[in-house]
Amino acid sequence: MDIRFENISNPWSAGARVVQPWLYREPRRREREAALPLGRAPPRYLLFTNPRRRNRWGHRRTYRLQLSSHAGPVLPRGWREERGVTWARYHLAVTRRHENEPSSSSIYSQNNPWDPPVTFESFIRDNETIEDQDLVAWVTVGFLHVPHSEDVPNTATPGNAVGFFLRPFNFFDEDPSVASRAPVIVRPLDPPTCSRLQIQRWTPPSPGACVHPEPFTYNGTYRPV
C-alpha cells in the first residue's frame, strides 16, 4: 500500500482544481510480483493480509512488514560471483514455503560462488502463486560503512542500526497492551547462557493498600525542615 496523487475539481470552488493524496493497494499475487528489487523504492506499507478474517471494524486482519535498511547492490547483476548472492538483489521477496528451501544461501557458496549449491533466484523463477498459501518473507537489510578518522580507536555505532519489524495492522480490535495489567520484563544478564536474569515488574511483588497510611502533608519545601 502506498500513496498516489489525483487531480480533482474543487467541489467548493467552481473551475478550480485540487491535488490530493489517496491510498491505493497493489496486490502481489505471484512470486515475481512480490520480489522487490534493490534500486527501486518499495511500497511504504508492505502488508500480509488474510482476506477471510476481519476484525470487529470490518478490516482484514493484516501484518505489516516495516523495513529499516540502507542496503545497496553487492555486485552487478549477472556478474560471475553474483550468482552466489542472488538473494541480495531484493529488498524483499515473498515465496511459497517449501521444505526443500530452508535458507537463501549456503556456507559452501563461498567456496564456489560461480555454481553455488543454493541459488536463491531459483526460488522465484517458477513464479508460483502466493495467494492462500503458507509464505516465507525473505528480507535483506544492510548499510554501507566507509572507514573514517572517527573510527579510531573504536567504531561508533549510533545510527547504524538496521532491521525490520513485523507489526499488527488491523489484526487486533484495539491496542492489545490495554489488556496487559501486570507486565513482567525478563532480560538475560549473561547471554547466551542466560543463567542470570533481570526481572522488572510494574507492580510490587506484594501489593498493599492503594491509600497511603498517613495523611498527605506538604510544607512548601523540597527537603524536610
Side-chain angles (χ1 to χ4, degrees):
M1 184 168 64
D2 213 326
I3 289 179
R4 287 182 178 174
F5 296 96
E6 60 178 353
N7 190 326
I8 63 173
S9 59
N10 190 336
W12 300 282
S13 180
R17 302 194 66 81
V18 175
V19 173
Q20 66 179 16
W22 61 281
L23 292 174
Y24 77 99
R25 295 175 182 265
E26 185 179 354
R28 310 295 177 104
R29 306 183 188 281
R30 306 193 75 86
E31 291 176 330
R32 276 294 181 191
E33 298 174 359
L36 309 179
L38 292 175
R40 302 180 193 172
R44 280 175 278 189
Y45 274 66
L46 302 169
L47 305 176
F48 294 78
T49 299
N50 186 338
R52 288 188 290 275
R53 294 292 184 90
R54 298 178 182 268
N55 63 14
R56 72 178 182 183
W57 311 107
H59 296 291
R60 296 177 177 179
R61 294 187 184 273
T62 301
Y63 267 90
R64 177 190 177 191
L65 188 66
Q66 182 176 333
L67 306 182
S68 175
S69 174
H70 310 284
V74 176
L75 287 170
R77 185 170 182 139
W79 187 249
R80 294 169 298 179
E81 290 81 6
E82 192 265 347
R83 181 176 170 81
V85 290
T86 53
W87 50 266
R89 296 175 179 177
Y90 307 99
H91 293 288
L92 167 70
V94 180
T95 65
R96 287 175 61 170
R97 183 182 181 277
H98 293 291
E99 292 291 340
N100 61 346
E101 296 176 353
S103 62
S104 60
S105 185
S106 167
I107 61 173
Y108 302 107
S109 295
Q110 61 185 339
N111 300 327
N112 188 5
W114 309 277
D115 187 20
V118 178
T119 304
F120 178 73
E121 192 68 23
S122 65
F123 293 9
I124 60 178
R125 187 174 295 138
D126 52 4
N127 199 26
E128 294 180 295
T129 179
I130 55 175
E131 289 189 287
D132 298 323
Q133 303 292 332
D134 291 333
L135 303 178
V136 179
W138 307 90
V139 180
T140 300
V141 296
F143 62 87
L144 174 65
H145 176 74
V146 179
H148 48 88
S149 58
E150 288 78 13
D151 287 341
V152 181
N154 59 281
T155 302
T157 58
N160 289 343
V162 297
F164 67 90
F165 295 95
L166 189 62
R167 304 176 56 182
F169 186 86
N170 289 326
F171 188 88
F172 298 101
D173 295 332
E174 61 182 5
D175 181 356
S177 67
V178 172
S180 183
R181 297 179 177 84
V184 177
I185 300 177
V186 180
R187 292 188 176 93
L189 296 176
D190 55 344
T193 57
C194 301
S195 61
R196 296 184 300 115
L197 302 175
Q198 177 191 25
I199 300 176
Q200 292 179 296
R201 293 182 175 89
W202 298 106
T203 54
S206 301
C210 296
V211 181
H212 196 272
E214 299 177 1
F216 174 78
T217 59
Y218 178 58
N219 61 6
T221 66
Y222 290 101
R223 300 177 183 175
V225 293

